Amino acid sequence: SEKLLKLAASVPRESLVAPGTCFGKFTKSQKFRLSVTALDFLAPYAKFKVWVKPGSEQSFLYGNHVLKSGLGRITENTAQYQGVVVYSMADVPLGFGVAAKSTQECRKVDPLAIVVFHQADVGEYVRNEDTLT
Amino acid sequence: EPETGRKKLSSHGRKRAAKRRLGAGSGPAGKRPLGGGGGEREPTGQTARGKSGFSDGNSKWLVPAKAKKTQPKGNHVELSSDGEVEEGSWEMEEEEEDGSSDEMVDDYGASSSEEEELLPIEKSALKQKPDREGLSEDDSEEEEEEDEAEEASKQKMGQKEEEGPDLQLNVDIDEQFKLPTSEEIEKEDILFIYLHVIHQRIQGNMEVLQDFREKREEGRSRQEYLALLRRDMAAYYSYSDFLLSKLMDIFPLPELVNFLEANEVPRPVTIRTNTLKTRRRDLAQALINRGVNLDPLGKWSKTGLVIYDSTVPIGATPEYLAGHYMLQGASSLLPVMALAPQENERILDMCCAPGGKTSYIAQLMKNTGMILANDSNAERLRSVVGNLHRLGVTNAVVSNCDGRQFPKVLGGFDRVLLDAPCSGTGVISKDPAVKTNKDEADILRCAHLQKELILSAIDSVNAASETGGYIVYCTCSIMVEENEWVVDYALKKRNVRLVATGLDFGKEGFTRFRDRRFHPSLKCTRRFYPHTHNMDGFFIAKLKKFSNAIPQARKDEEPAVEAAAPPAVPDTSTAEPLPKKKKLERSKAEEEQKLPQPALKKKRSLQAQKRPLKA
């Protein structure tokens, strides 16, 4: 929040590590790459969600894509390449992804096809602790 | 030949060997001296030694005991040290250590190269030979005392060989030691024998020291017992002598043993529920479903859970990754509970890595207000950032300053938490290296740093804040130099006073320690120990700042600056400028004259505290 930023301004620049929560980073080509630290903020607003079965929860947390066999539920009318938030069956947000197939196609494909591309997951807190912002 | 061979022989084996060597004729003769020598060790001993002894080949190993020791050695310590059953049984018959030891030596003297080197009896026997030469074979305990004293002075801890005679001598001293009974145990591993024996000796020694008047040996001072105890404990628990002496000053003896034992065992794993994201019972349910065996931490905590065992790694469950809980020691919950941060306050956490306490503060504040999480170590700050993000803390600013820079960087906080870098003597169970790598210089260096930090912390707090004005100082150390001494220093140097921590359990801090005397209010501080509370050793002190002025008026400008610092000066602080003016007038004010002022301010600050509560 702004108040926080103003207070953070009083810390000398070299010393400041992180004011507030980091949402993501800007890449060299001016794109904004969202990072998993933004999950809490975005999850409630997600329009398109994907639920993952307990068995492939761990696999997603290791950074793998979600296969059809691991897919639990998916919101209706998800377009292809739509950004989604991945949840576990207990409604715990696990991370971000991109739908590889639209909802209709998901019904038709074979179980080993990828349905959600992995983008960011909470497992990264442990795996990439250092590179997190 | 079995006799001169390397094998250990049973009594039967030896007899057989003897028989074989001597042939049928001296067979009975061989046996008789055995029996005879056994039966009347003392009288025949000397004589038998004098003459050619036994004409059979047994003479090598069957040397009669010298009557070096008198009766009171009802001791079977030799027994215990024996690796041989039959030696023990022989002992039982005659109650002569020396005989057995001699026999042992002779029996194995030739083959003492390898594992037998460590046999304390062996060593004691070897020692006895030079001792015999050095001292006369008196039964007098004075001699033994000298012996012991010599041993004590000569020995270093590492030289276990020389412990042997001490073993015997000590047993003489502390006759009422409970002695180990089964020799089979000691047969297994020589090293175990040795530690086991030390352990027994420690216990026996402690028994004597508890009831010194009755159980002491004549002519031996308490210091000797204590010295031996110190050496034994240092060897048994692998502590440096320095640290052990310090611990002996802090703890009475039985507690010391408990403390040392507790340090060998790790404390149970505890987690703290992140109430920003979940509730404790939901989390407990979810973890139980994953196969974790857990329990609430205790009455004193609403967010803690203790993990007994688990089929999944606790640091990697999806709940952990979703930020529902944080792995944290139970004792780390306490300083934050003592700090009691309120919503919409500005809080400084001066040494925050890895961020457990910071995130607890944030969850208590419900993500309102602002926390400045500072640590001087940049690498550890990454874990702070990671943890804060994971747990969903939004009101924290992370910075990498040296804590001592603090009021200059940003001041006027409502509360400050200082978890000072310390020697780590309370967390020995997590880091056993502390047992040996800390010495006087380390402790004093830590203490110096802590004093500087606490002064900075105090200066960073706005005494005039409505809801706050508190500093919590905590360390994970049990040393008085780092705890009470630092707090006492702060009391002298700044306008603060100690208040109750709000923790109703835990031992009170020391108000006096050896030659030092501390302020009586140090009773409000709390000490926690691994052996009493089953959490890491900890010290917590809660200070309230009642004036922004810095005493001694070494800088007259300072009070004025401090008065200007707090951004919003509430009504209650109107009292502040008046006392400050008085201070400026009497620039060389004595400490005593300040006391009436603190009394005034006390009332006002209490009122200030009460007001928000009522509101």
Side-chain angles (χ1 to χ4, degrees), chain A residues 41-54:
Chain A
F41 298 96
L42 294 181
Y45 300 111
K47 249 202 313 192
F48 297 107
K49 305 180 190 166
V50 170
W51 284 264
V52 167
K53 287 189 190 142

